[in-house]
Amino acid sequence: MKKLLIVVDMQNDFINGSLGTPQAQRIVPRVKTKIAEYKKNGNKVVFTRDTHHDDYLEKQEGKCLPVVHCVEGTHGHEITNKLDTDGCTVIDKPTFGSPKLAVTIGAEGLDEIELCGLCTDICVISNALIIKANNPETKITVDAGCCAGTTEEGHKAALLIMKTCHVNVIGEERKVL
């Protein structure tokens, strides 16, 4: 069975930087364990990075969310050093979801794609739904216990929407807060 883990935006700015939250900090050990399990079983791991530039505040996203974050070349843009990225692919994405990611992984003939990371209600849901739309017969799973939203309400709402769109959600019994 060919499986892939996508670790969404586990970057310093989302964990303990300009948009960091205690919930994001709490999932880091779980995500670390999940990455190790995937690697141990010979499965691929792909990381995404939210990637902005100095003109962020001039872009539509910057006007809606006027908090500079994940600017390429900064500490905040880097994936936390608490996670093992050795041997993994890293895909920079300029917005919430990555059509490039969905198309790239769709060509690999995977049986299951699992997602975890940040933020459940923005980038995790965006990527899960884009991947599902591009790969309708592939099992898409999101581990809720290895995700954190911008708020607990947003996290729960995103999980419900993903379930409605036939994304398998696991790990809800593990509390993030």
Side-chain angles (χ1 to χ4, degrees):
M1 183 170 184
K2 289 178 69 176
K3 292 176 69 174
L4 170 71
L5 177 65
I6 299 173
V7 181
V8 179
D9 298 356
M10 290 296 293
Q11 296 163 262
N12 292 320
D13 270 348
F14 291 128
I15 296 168
N16 54 18
S18 60
L19 291 171
T21 65
Q23 295 86 351
Q25 292 168 28
R26 285 196 270 282
I27 69 165
V28 173
R30 290 184 198 152
V31 173
K32 180 178 180 175
T33 299
K34 184 168 285 292
I35 292 167
E37 289 170 3
Y38 265 76
K39 286 183 166 188
K40 178 182 171 190
N41 292 324
N43 293 303
K44 284 181 64 176
V45 177
V46 171
F47 285 82
T48 68
R49 278 192 306 207
D50 196 38
T51 302
H52 301 294
H53 300 93
D54 291 334
D55 62 350
Y56 172 75
L57 292 175
E58 299 165 26
K59 302 289 185 182
Q60 182 177 349
E61 182 181 330
K63 291 175 182 172
C64 294
L65 176 64
V67 179
V68 176
H69 64 282
C70 300
V71 174
E72 191 170 28
T74 66
H75 175 73
H77 181 253
E78 295 171 11
I79 294 167
T80 179
N81 63 8
K82 294 178 181 173
L83 301 179
D84 178 14
T85 60
D86 289 344
C88 300
T89 300
V90 177
I91 295 178
D92 290 338
K93 56 184 186 58
T95 188
F96 309 133
S98 174
K100 175 185 171 185
L101 172 66
V103 170
T104 300
I105 62 176
E108 295 191 27
L110 299 162
D111 298 306
E112 182 174 359
I113 300 167
E114 184 173 351
L115 294 93
C116 64
L118 302 168
C119 296
T120 318
D121 48 339
I122 302 175
C123 294
V124 173
I125 189 173
S126 296
N127 283 290
L129 295 180
I130 290 170
I131 291 167
K132 186 65 177 173
N134 280 278
N135 305 279
E137 295 304 315
T138 303
K139 182 178 181 182
I140 310 297
T141 299
V142 170
D143 187 340
C146 289
C147 292
T150 57
T151 65
E152 184 61 19
E153 295 79 20
H155 173 76
K156 288 178 182 176
L159 296 174
L160 179 60
I161 291 167
M162 286 187 279
K163 287 180 194 176
T164 302
C165 293
H166 307 197
V167 172
N168 182 41
V169 176
I170 62 170
E172 288 183 275
E173 67 282 355
R174 293 183 298 213
K175 288 286 185 191
V176 174
L177 293 174

